[in-house]
Amino acid sequence: MAEILIIGYGNTLRSDDGVGQRVAELVAEWNLPNVRSLPVHQLTPELAEPISQAELVIFVDAYPATSEQGLQVHQLCDDIPYSSPKSQSLAHTVDPRSLLALSQILYHNVPPAWWILVPAVNFEFGESFSEKTTENIQYSLAQIKQIIIK
């Protein structure tokens, strides 16, 4: 049975940077059938396998925003560019596109994917979110609902 995979990532000890994990945790609380939620510290190559088995993948992360910037929602293309592992290290440069490419190369499947970027202004040590990031958590959850209902 195919599933929808939500991958929320970021450092929960760096204030707003942990919002991706928080959004993934909140989605898990919905207890929706066929929706799997993975809160992770960072994207790693091992995620290519569950990505390859999903019907749809939604990545959620923080991005450094100005006071004028808001939530960003991007549909990631099916024609994912791939760079040879010799030309890049996957250790700390993995992003959603490279994971989708890895899924295609290793498992011959890449599901449709979305990338939700939550505006963040505070990356200092701490475990609480700024007002801007907190307000955008609900917007990101609404976007996820809209995407998975389609």
Side-chain angles (χ1 to χ4, degrees):
M1 182 175 282
E3 66 180 12
I4 296 170
L5 181 61
I6 312 297
I7 301 174
Y9 59 101
N11 186 341
T12 58
L13 300 177
R14 298 300 296 246
S15 300
D16 291 351
D17 193 46
V19 71
Q21 286 201 51
R22 181 65 186 137
V23 169
E25 292 166 352
L26 291 169
V27 170
E29 291 176 9
W30 295 345
N31 293 316
L32 295 174
N34 302 326
V35 175
R36 180 176 174 203
S37 192
L38 291 175
V40 296
H41 183 75
Q42 64 185 14
L43 298 179
T44 60
E46 293 79 11
L47 292 169
E49 182 183 13
I51 287 170
S52 73
Q53 297 169 359
E55 176 183 320
L56 170 73
V57 179
I58 302 172
F59 298 92
V60 185
D61 191 18
Y63 80 95
T66 65
S67 59
E68 296 83 29
Q69 292 176 300
L71 189 74
Q72 296 183 13
V73 180
H74 304 280
Q75 187 170 13
L76 299 176
C77 306
D78 291 334
D79 56 338
I80 304 296
Y82 173 68
S83 299
S84 164
K86 293 178 183 175
S87 67
Q88 72 176 16
S89 166
L90 289 177
H92 294 286
T93 59
V94 177
D95 70 6
R97 288 181 188 97
S98 62
L99 278 178
L100 293 168
L102 194 58
S103 172
Q104 177 64 39
I105 291 164
L106 296 177
Y107 303 102
H108 310 290
N109 186 45
V110 61
W114 292 81
W115 196 1
I116 297 177
L117 296 167
V118 182
V121 294
N122 180 12
F123 292 90
E124 299 296 321
F125 288 110
E127 295 183 34
S128 60
F129 300 124
S130 67
E131 184 178 326
K132 182 171 190 72
T133 297
T134 299
E135 121 187 346
N136 278 280
I137 289 173
Q138 292 307 313
Y139 297 144
S140 63
L141 292 170
Q143 286 294 316
I144 291 169
K145 281 182 184 175
Q146 190 173 32
I147 292 167
I148 65 178
I149 289 173
K150 288 183 182 180

